[in-house]
Structure formats: C-alpha cells, structure tokens
Amino acid sequence: MKLVIEHLSKQYRRNFWGLHDFSLELGPGVIGLLGPNGAGKSTLMRMLATITQPSEGTIQWNDTDIVKSPDTLRAVLGYLPQDFGVYPNLTALEFLEYMAAIKGLDAKSARRRIDELLIVVNLVQAAKRPLGGYSGGMKQRVGIAQALLNDPQLLIVDEPTVGLDPEERVRFRNLLSDLSGERIILLSTHIVSDVEATATEIVIINKGHKLQHAAPEQFLQLLENKVWQWTTTSEALPALKQKYIISGTVRHNAGIQIRAVAEVAPTPEAQCVPPNLEDVYLSLVSQNGAGQ
C-alpha cells in the first residue's frame, strides 16, 4: 500500500498557488498534516480525494495515476471533509444507509457494516435520533462512520476536531489511533496536540510548501538544547515576543513564565528544557513566515 505525490501544484489565480511543488511518499500509519489556516492543507486533501484536479504534478496510488484513473482510488477511499454536512431530518441510521447506497454497497452488507460502525463511533443509542439534534462531536462521529463505510485503505480527515469540546476531541483521537494499522490515515489540522497524540509521521506545511516530513521524535531532535524557560514581567513581554519565538506563557504570582526558542540562553536565569512539538512547529512556521 503506497501513496506517492510528486511535484503537485494547484494554481487558483495567475499569481496565487494554493499548493506548489509538493512531493511526499506515504505508507500505512497515521500521518499528521500540520500547518496554519490557509497553508494549503485542504487544497492537498481535495486533490487526494479526487475532488479537485491538480494544475501540475502527479498522485499515484499503488503505481496508478489517480488523476487519469480516479476510480482506482475512489473504491478504497474514505473522506471526511472540513465542511462535512448532514441532513438534519434524517436519523444517523438513515443517513448512513443513504451514504452506503451512494458508495454502491448492497443493502445486506450495508446494514451489517452500519451496525459495526455505530458501535465503533459509540452512537448505537442515538442511531434513530434526527441528526439536527446532534452535538458537533456526534456529527463528527457520524462523519467518520460514513468515511469508513467501504472499509477504506486511504482515510482522509480534514480539520476533524475543530469546534469539538476537549472530551470529544480526545475520543476522536483515540478512534483514529484504533483505526490505524493496515491503512493510510491522513489527519489534516492546525491543532498541534491532535497530531502529537495520534501521528506516526508528521508533515509540516506552510504557504503551499512542505517544510518538513519526519517521525515525531526526529522533529524534537531539531530543537534539542534550544528551548528555554524563565520568569519575566508583563512589561517585558512585548519586547521578548519581538525578539524570540515564544511558544508558551503562564502567569503566576512571581510574574510570567515564558517558554521560548533560542540558540543560546536568552537570560542568565533561563533554564534549558526538553522541546515539544509545539516548539518545533512554531519555529519552522516562523522561519518560513506567517500563514496565508
């Protein structure tokens, strides 16, 4: 199982590229696609889902060009778009039966699969309630269920936890981890903690370009001995933000505890601390400039 993206680009206007010269090779696992809003993540997801045609480059699924033969991938694709919508008057059961019919599942197989998925996404008790009364997290779980109807080999989820409460976000992350194994899962997000909790590989993207692709532990090595923590005053904070990449601030009685990225200790009292993924992400994106 292999997904190969080579020199992929999408041009929307003469001087605007949503994605430019993007290359990536992926195998089974959870791949976190991390970048600011407007970085090009959704553009890439739509091209991988065969919804949008690239302006340049190729996408190959198991050595087949899906731009020329999209049905090869569509048969094994599950997709949860960022703007996933539901029919509010349908129940979850009715909606999933409808989506199964669109995907070409026969009625008997569809019902068996839907029963399995309602258990997986913990919606058995709410299956016959209209979707209009569902919370955001419940609707997302219906979304992941419809994406899994055909037991996809490639599962694409675009900004799946936006708007979810903390408990629902953790439940969704656990679900993605449980689904990994012999499939490729692409998780596109700008929320670092979602990637940190689930991804086996991470791709950082900004302004339509790939910045880095590595395992989480390799990312952390990039900032070894370059993250510092110390306490300062509220008055000093604006100047420090201009000078350093500040990845965290915590207010307490003695002042503001700052976490920053720097080659050497910013002050004599600064202590070197182990880096986390948020430090690395902010550092890479800052070096590449702000998001679009």
Side-chain angles (χ1 to χ4, degrees):
M1 190 185 303
K2 186 170 64 172
L3 179 67
V4 179
I5 304 162
E6 292 185 326
H7 307 294
L8 199 66
S9 298
K10 181 63 179 180
Q11 185 176 23
Y12 288 109
R13 297 188 299 275
R14 187 166 63 90
N15 295 320
F16 179 73
W17 294 79
L19 197 74
H20 200 266
D21 198 25
F22 190 96
S23 296
L24 193 63
E25 183 171 333
L26 300 174
V30 180
I31 295 88
L33 185 66
L34 189 59
N37 289 324
K41 303 185 302 296
S42 292
T43 296
L44 175 61
M45 297 296 99
R46 287 194 294 269
M47 286 191 281
L48 293 178
T50 72
I51 293 169
T52 301
Q53 288 274 336
S55 303
E56 298 173 358
T58 61
I59 304 168
Q60 291 193 331
W61 172 256
N62 294 335
D63 301 321
T64 298
D65 188 335
I66 68 162
V67 176
K68 296 177 181 176
S69 305
D71 289 344
T72 305
L73 179 59
R74 286 172 183 166
V76 295
L77 173 70
Y79 180 43
L80 175 59
Q82 182 177 354
D83 52 355
F84 173 72
V86 296
Y87 296 91
N89 295 324
L90 294 182
T91 67
L93 186 58
E94 291 168 338
F95 176 74
L96 291 172
E97 287 174 342
Y98 168 67
M99 293 302 297
I102 289 176
K103 292 182 183 224
L105 277 69
D106 66 83
K108 186 177 180 181
S109 299
R111 188 53 192 260
R112 185 171 60 249
R113 182 67 174 157
I114 289 168
D115 288 345
E116 292 171 357
L117 290 172
L118 287 171
I119 294 171
V120 168
V121 299
N122 194 27
L123 284 175
V124 173
Q125 300 302 319
K128 295 183 179 179
R129 283 170 45 194
L131 294 173
Y134 274 30
S135 68
M138 293 170 74
K139 288 176 183 175
Q140 286 294 72
R141 281 184 270 156
V142 173
I144 197 70
Q146 66 80 27
L148 291 168
L149 279 168
N150 59 338
D151 194 19
Q153 294 176 29
L154 174 62
L155 176 62
I156 297 172
V157 287
D158 190 1
E159 297 284 2
T161 64
V162 171
L164 301 191
D165 63 38
E167 185 180 353
E168 288 172 328
R169 179 171 290 152
V170 170
R171 188 183 294 119
F172 193 89
R173 290 177 193 160
N174 292 339
L175 176 57
L176 285 186
S177 296
D178 291 343
L179 291 170
S180 63
E182 285 306 306
R183 75 177 90 226
I184 299 173
I185 299 178
L186 270 175
L187 164 62
S188 169
T189 185
H190 67 282
I191 301 171
V192 177
S193 58
D194 285 348
V195 169
E196 200 163 27
T198 58
T200 52
E201 298 176 48
I202 298 169
V203 179
I204 295 183
I205 179 174
N206 193 30
K207 295 185 175 180
H209 294 273
K210 182 181 73 177
L211 303 186
Q212 289 278 359
H213 172 209
E217 56 271 20
Q218 290 175 300
F219 272 104
L220 297 178
Q221 290 170 7
L222 295 174
L223 290 187
E224 197 69 44
N225 300 318
K226 294 180 182 179
V227 181
W228 308 87
Q229 196 166 279
W230 73 100
T231 299
T232 188
T233 63
S234 298
E235 293 76 19
L237 187 57
L240 290 170
K241 286 183 175 179
Q242 293 293 319
K243 191 173 182 181
Y244 300 107
I245 299 167
I246 306 296
S247 60
T249 57
V250 178
R251 293 182 182 273
H252 51 71
N253 291 340
I256 300 176
Q257 187 181 73
I258 279 190
R259 185 182 180 95
V261 178
E263 291 292 328
V264 296
T267 66
E269 63 269 22
Q271 293 184 324
C272 191
V273 294
N276 59 34
L277 190 56
E278 186 95 34
D279 302 321
V280 179
Y281 169 65
L282 290 173
S283 177
L284 287 171
V285 171
S286 176
Q287 290 170 26
N288 187 248
Q292 294 172 1

